[in-house]
Amino acid sequence: MKRLFLTWAMSLIMTATFAQVVSVGSTAPVDVPEKAAEYPGGISALMNFLQRTLKYPKDCEAAGIEGRVVMRFVINEDGSISDMEAMQSPDARLTAEAKRVVSLMPKWAPAKNKGKAVKMRYSLPITFRLPDGKNKLGFDKSACDALSQQLAGKKENPRGLYKLLRFSYENGNPDKGPHIEQYKYCTDDITLQLQIQKNIEDGDKPEFWMSMLNMDRRPLNYTGNIAKRDISIFDSDSRGFKMRWYNDILNNEFFPGNQYITELYSSEDKISPKIQRVIDLLKMHTAQPGENKFYGCWRRVGVLTKVDGMDMLLPGHQDLYQIFDKDVYLHFYELSAGRMYAYCIMRPIQYKSDNLLIQHGGESKIEWVDNNTFRLLFDRGDGTIVTELWKRSGLPERYQQAFGTNLPVYKEPVNPLPNYFGN
């Protein structure tokens, strides 16, 4: 049997994994613990445990499926593990194996705050990697070589949606396929890097997660293969392009440090139909609002609550938009306006009536204030009913510029009167 590679990238996230803890008898987050939870014997013992216990699923091996599963779980006051969930995974079978192994862990030494044991959230990335060759993401050396030859000497600016096919390293290491499905969406004004983070096909709650980041902070224009530590775009036309950049950080899980990395992108390789659907929704290629009053884009203004009998509006912890279409809706979370960093989550939807939606497997009741405003009421899972206020709105202007739309963006009024939101 060919050799399999399972690697763990823990050191880079150790400082972030215990940013939220829960004190004894409380569900409210507190500060970073004075002492983080520790696997018995430390990180080296944890890696040895994973090395001994993990088994590469045979059907994933046969299908050439690899990638990283990020498991998040809670380490309780007694060191036991609970609340396991996969935050990122390329395949449900790899997720199942990662969950199996985490469930077999011995008790940890718990985190402590002021000498008392506290609960702590912990994230553990587990990367399942096959030897070089064709994998689920479609790395095919001969096809990449053929595209590279076709692009040689081309000097057009890349525009549109391109898929990452492979990496090449300056020091002569073999070409490698990407560890995650990645795209560049290139326009005259901006370049957005798109990555599929989660794609759950089965079950009654299918989901598709895509991150979006202004990684390059510029439009990608032809530069030629310039000999300096800047981004080079060369061998470029409508079929694909090459991108060369310098990795001046230490070696990490995917890139060797202190050398140039060359990426090959293609517009003709198989594009995920789901990522294309997300792009279409961001371009507002949806059914006409006249067919259903929900269709189109909405912005969450905030969460409504009562204080002394008066309506009060609390802003959400993130800027959230929803784009409704016939069979799906798209959550759009803007995480950082400055870097154009956002998450898109696409899920199926059922319109039972103008006042009842089935979203993410649960009911959402609708109270219309007017044709451009509604309250959305749902059970957050513990019997508490949350009421959100939504207004019809376009996406933030920078994203509209990128996706070619020009819709009015709803702006919150300053200190609205208590009855502004209707009775």
Side-chain angles (χ1 to χ4, degrees), residues 138-151 164-167 175-177 242 264 269:
F139 176 52
D140 185 323
K141 187 177 188 307
S142 61
C144 290
D145 289 344
L147 176 63
S148 183
Q149 291 177 5
Q150 295 170 14
L151 296 176
L164 176 63
L165 297 188
R166 76 175 179 194
F167 296 102
D175 295 335
K176 296 181 181 295
K242 294 178 184 177
L264 175 67
D269 200 78

Side-chain angles (χ1 to χ4, degrees), residues 91-131:
D91 189 273
R93 291 163 292 187
L94 297 183
T95 300
E97 174 60 13
K99 285 184 175 180
R100 183 189 72 83
V101 171
V102 171
S103 69
L104 295 175
M105 285 182 178
K107 287 188 175 182
W108 292 50
K112 290 187 177 181
N113 235 14
K114 298 181 180 178
K116 293 184 178 180
V118 294
K119 294 181 179 179
M120 187 181 91
R121 303 187 201 280
Y122 195 94
S123 296
L124 177 64
I126 304 174
T127 299
F128 296 80
R129 179 168 296 160
L130 295 164

Side-chain angles (χ1 to χ4, degrees), residues 68 87-88 161 179-185 192-199 208-215 275 278-279 282 330-333 335 339-346 399 403:
R68 181 168 60 178
M87 303 304 296
Q88 173 184 317
L161 185 62
H179 65 282
I180 192 169
E181 195 164 350
Q182 177 175 303
Y183 297 80
K184 295 283 189 183
Y185 180 74
L192 293 174
Q193 182 164 297
L194 315 176
Q195 291 185 337
I196 295 178
Q197 302 292 337
K198 185 187 295 185
N199 186 6
F208 179 78
W209 291 54
M210 183 191 84
S211 66
M212 178 186 309
L213 176 62
N214 178 16
M215 174 70 73
I275 208 166
V278 170
I279 295 294
L282 294 172
L330 185 72
H331 273 299
F332 181 94
Y333 292 92
L335 303 180
R339 293 207 62 188
M340 290 185 72
Y341 180 29
Y343 260 90
C344 298
I345 306 173
M346 186 169 64
Y399 294 95
F403 293 106

Side-chain angles (χ1 to χ4, degrees), residues 334-369:
E334 186 177 36
L335 303 180
S336 171
R339 293 207 62 188
M340 290 185 72
Y341 180 29
Y343 260 90
C344 298
I345 306 173
M346 186 169 64
R347 297 180 173 127
I349 189 168
Q350 297 179 46
Y351 302 95
K352 292 296 186 180
S353 71
D354 284 350
N355 302 105
L356 182 63
L357 306 177
I358 305 298
Q359 296 177 284
H360 199 35
E363 291 187 350
S364 295
K365 296 182 180 179
I366 303 298
E367 296 176 353
W368 290 92
V369 178

Side-chain angles (χ1 to χ4, degrees), residues 159 184-194 212-221 230-231 233 243 245 335-341 398-399:
R159 293 294 181 266
K184 295 283 189 183
Y185 180 74
C186 304
T187 76
D188 288 336
D189 303 302
I190 200 73
T191 302
L192 293 174
Q193 182 164 297
L194 315 176
M212 178 186 309
L213 176 62
N214 178 16
M215 174 70 73
D216 304 299
R217 296 176 177 259
R218 72 192 78 181
L220 295 186
N221 295 323
D230 198 0
I231 294 177
I233 303 297
M243 177 176 175
W245 55 280
L335 303 180
S336 171
R339 293 207 62 188
M340 290 185 72
Y341 180 29
R398 293 187 70 189
Y399 294 95

Side-chain angles (χ1 to χ4, degrees), residues 185 275-289 291 295-297 323-330 346 395 400 402-407:
Y185 180 74
I275 208 166
Q276 187 62 62
R277 182 73 184 277
V278 170
I279 295 294
D280 289 342
L281 290 171
L282 294 172
K283 291 181 176 181
M284 298 301 150
H285 294 170
T286 65
Q288 294 299 313
E291 299 179 34
Y295 293 164
C297 186
I323 302 171
F324 292 98
D325 203 4
K326 288 184 176 181
D327 56 340
V328 297
Y329 70 103
L330 185 72
M346 186 169 64
L395 294 174
Q400 293 204 55
F403 293 106
T405 59
N406 186 24
L407 300 174

